[in-house]
Amino acid sequence: MPTALVTGPTAGIGTAFARRLARDGYQLVLVARDAGRLAQLARELGGAEVIVADLAVPEQRRAVVERLQDGSRPVDLLVNNAGVGGQGEFWSTPFDRLHQQLELNVTAVVELTHAALPGMRARGAGAVINVASVAGLTPGRGSTYTASKAYVIALSEGLANGLSGTGVRVQALCPGFTHTEFHARAGIDMAWAPEALWLEADFVVDESLRDLQRDVIVSIPSVRYKALVTASRLVPRSVTRFFAARLGGRSRN
Ligand SMILES: NC(=O)c1ccc[n+]([C@@H]2O[C@H](COP(=O)([O-])OP(=O)(O)OC[C@H]3O[C@@H](n4cnc5c(N)ncnc54)[C@H](OP(=O)(O)O)[C@@H]3O)[C@@H](O)[C@H]2O)c1
């Protein structure tokens, strides 16, 4: 039975990954902060290993790193999904909040991927899905969140290139707006966003796993968002930036 480790499975896209992977026959290792929700999900899935950890805290990542490095219980698929957004201007946000976001959205992804890859390479099989965002593909009104997702995309593409031919795959999953707890947690009012722009978490996960089978390295769920990203690439970046600055609404960090 293959094993998948999913970060942030207690809500949204992570829950959808956990449920789908369980249906696909994976044994699951679930990592998040909320012990109650983790236990409830593990029960729902008919049993799963649980690691309660705040991935923004280096010492709490240790247990997850050690689990990924444990060669006697190989992890075949790592889903780096946990991530947070924010709202407000960069210059007026306390640095602690920006730093926590960087630790979770970037450092944890690098550290967990670094822990998982040697074993996968040695076995000549395995995959890492890094949940980024379309925000990381186009310039917007965002600052640290956008930058964190751009980092994750660049990291994933570089690793996928380096691992080509090894049997190990790396994907950057770039969803658009998805119905989850993400915006409420960050205090972002999304009332302005038309319903046509919204995706469902189950759909995002199905597209990601289908793309993984096809070796698609940057997965952009839905024709709508593929078209938006393609259109933004057809015009000079200065033009995209111009419109994003004027139409992008309040800034995000
Ligand atoms: N929703 C969107 O529109 C959207 C669009 C593009 C990309 N994304 C990306 O998708 C990923 C999943 O987000 P989501 O939309 O599913 O958000 P969500 O519903 O808010 O879920 C976030 C998950 O991350 C976990 N988490 C948050 N902080 C954590 C921490 N410090 N340590 C460990 N786990 C933590 C949460 O669990 P606990 O609270 O139990 O720790 C929860 O399970 C994120 O990387 C996000 O950037 C989302």
Side-chain angles (χ1 to χ4, degrees), residues 187-205:
I188 302 169
D189 179 5
M190 292 300 290
W192 65 271
E195 196 47 42
L197 281 180
W198 288 90
L199 305 172
E200 298 305 324
D202 287 337
F203 172 78
V204 167
V205 167

Side-chain angles (χ1 to χ4, degrees), residues 8 10 13 33-34 54-55 81 132 145 149 178 180-181 185:
T10 52
I13 295 170
R33 293 166 303 177
D34 189 325
D54 183 337
L55 292 170
N81 162 77
Y145 178 76
K149 295 305 183 180
T178 308
T180 68
E181 297 175 11
R185 281 179 196 245

